[in-house]
Amino acid sequence: MSAQSETGIGLTMGDPAGIGPEIIAKSFAEDGFASGCRAVVIGDEAVMTRTVGELGLPLGLNVVSHPREAAFKKGYLDLVPVGALPGDLPVGRLDARCGRAAYGYVERAATLALEGSIAAVCTAPLNKEAMHLGGIRYAGHTEILAGLTATEDYAMMLVAPDLRVIHVSTHVSLGEAILRATEARERTVIRLAHETLRRIGVENPRVAVAGINPHAGENGLFGREEIEAIAPAIEAARGDGIDASGPWSADTVFGRARRGDFDIVVVQYHDQGHIPVKLLGFEKGVNVTVGLPFFRTSVDHGTAFDIAGEGVADPSSLLAALDLADRLAGSQKSPRRKEKEDPA
């Protein structure tokens, strides 16, 4: 873990029937975790108690009503309870109660972050179908947090050990993604990419913008989105002093970014960004929501109902997400200056 944030991180438990409780318990049991990360879990007491017991971890629960009461003590998991679920709740199954509960944890975390009681939010995975069964009609964490904070300009950024991408659109159909690739949205995401990298210590971010069509449209032969929306947005960003370039063909730009030519790639739709990041760093990939009044990071995987309750879930992505949340939270008060200090 990096240097501690001053206020602490709010870690939401995710869907109680998924692997969120397990990877949280395993993370808190990691050697050196207590001295390296000030995190308080926002979730369910019965579920976390059962999970710790089933895993046989030497970990106690410190239940508090507010993060200010957290002890951040080795061998203990500080927990702010939200609601109460039955202790015998089935795991690995869709459940409307779990969907509603997962939303409640995020709602509580957003409230705490807005009031300054936590410095950033880190989220374990929720299940969109379970949430919809519970009557919560959001596409995912990004959209929930944007709604709760009345944020209009936001984006999803994925961080792998040697690749960063930021999305123009995410949880929409491919047809809708093409419609959303407007000049205004492209300019917004380029700006968010630049501003976010500056905050984590990249002094002069090099922002590459991927095309949406094969070969970036091939001068209009395979589509005109690059000509009519993407290229004008890049030119406008450059006029604002941002080192933006493209549109680059998506089949080569990620290799160039890994090689060090670019610091981040603006991708046009969900799979264009998720596939390379998950291929290169699934175990340590981190999802970041940028543009909110606070930083939010998350694991880059789902609830994994197929292995929930088996004790085999890997906490690596959560540990990476907590580490990045810690650094981002610290950057809000004392920005890191040197690019070489930012391994993400």
Side-chain angles (χ1 to χ4, degrees):
M1 290 289 172
S2 60
Q4 295 177 358
S5 61
E6 294 181 19
T7 310
I9 308 301
L11 172 56
T12 62
M13 197 179 75
D15 190 298
I19 63 171
E22 179 183 337
I23 59 176
I24 288 172
K26 287 180 175 178
S27 294
F28 273 78
E30 283 274 317
D31 288 341
F33 181 87
S35 62
C37 183
R38 295 163 58 86
V40 58
V41 177
I42 302 167
D44 185 87
E45 180 180 356
V47 172
M48 286 308 310
T49 298
R50 182 181 72 177
T51 301
V52 170
E54 289 177 346
L55 293 172
L57 296 172
L59 197 63
L61 259 64
N62 179 37
V63 180
V64 298
S65 61
H66 192 276
R68 74 172 73 91
E69 302 168 6
F72 303 119
K73 184 179 178 181
K74 182 179 180 180
Y76 284 88
L77 183 155
D78 293 297
L79 174 75
V80 174
V82 176
L85 292 166
D88 59 351
L89 187 79
V91 298
R93 300 181 192 175
L94 284 171
D95 193 308
R97 294 171 297 176
C98 293
R100 288 191 296 269
Y103 173 80
Y105 309 148
V106 178
E107 185 177 43
R108 177 70 168 138
T111 299
L112 290 168
L114 288 172
E115 69 183 30
S117 296
I118 53 176
V121 174
C122 182
T123 58
L126 54 72
N127 186 283
K128 299 175 182 66
E129 188 175 355
M131 191 169 63
H132 289 182
L133 287 173
I136 310 298
R137 309 299 296 183
Y138 282 100
H141 276 116
T142 302
E143 295 79 8
I144 291 172
L145 289 167
L148 291 172
T149 59
T151 301
E152 295 184 1
D153 292 340
Y154 60 92
M156 175 189 294
M157 182 173 78
L158 300 182
V159 178
D162 54 0
L163 179 66
R164 304 182 187 95
V165 304
I166 187 169
H167 294 68
V168 171
S169 67
T170 50
H171 299 117
V172 296
S173 70
L174 188 54
E176 177 66 18
I178 294 171
L179 295 176
R180 294 193 183 193
T182 64
E183 181 180 348
R185 176 60 179 166
E186 299 285 341
R187 288 187 66 178
T188 293
V189 177
I190 293 170
R191 173 180 57 80
L192 288 172
H194 173 81
E195 292 175 352
T196 302
L197 263 61
R198 287 289 303 272
R199 295 187 72 168
I200 61 174
V202 183
E203 293 183 0
N204 299 296
R206 297 162 298 168
V207 182
V209 184
I212 198 168
N213 295 300
H215 302 286
E218 198 76 71
N219 295 317
L221 290 176
F222 306 137
R224 297 190 57 80
E225 286 79 10
E226 286 79 9
I227 295 172
E228 296 174 357
I230 300 175
I234 295 169
E235 189 64 25
R238 293 182 66 84
D240 293 335
I242 297 174
D243 185 0
S245 64
W248 301 106
S249 178
D251 61 1
T252 59
V253 70
F254 302 111
R256 292 187 61 187
R258 288 190 72 203
R259 193 170 65 217
D261 293 351
F262 310 117
D263 297 301
I264 192 168
V265 180
V266 173
V267 296
Q268 300 299 323
Y269 54 91
H270 184 280
D271 284 9
Q272 190 180 63
H274 277 64
I275 290 173
V277 167
K278 290 192 174 184
L279 179 65
L280 295 173
F282 187 83
E283 295 82 6
K284 294 187 177 181
V286 179
N287 183 326
V288 186
T289 304
V290 299
L292 300 172
F294 50 84
F295 280 110
R296 171 256 173 176
T297 68
S298 180
V299 295
D300 191 26
H301 59 70
T303 49
F305 280 166
D306 58 324
I307 61 170
E310 296 182 8
V312 297
D314 186 348
S316 297
S317 183
L318 180 59
L319 287 165
L322 283 164
D323 181 61
L324 183 55
D326 199 46
R327 289 192 287 119
L328 289 171
S331 76
Q332 297 184 73
K333 295 183 179 179
S334 54
R336 296 156 67 90
R337 295 294 181 185
K338 297 181 181 179
E339 180 175 346
K340 66 181 182 180
E341 292 178 352
D342 174 40

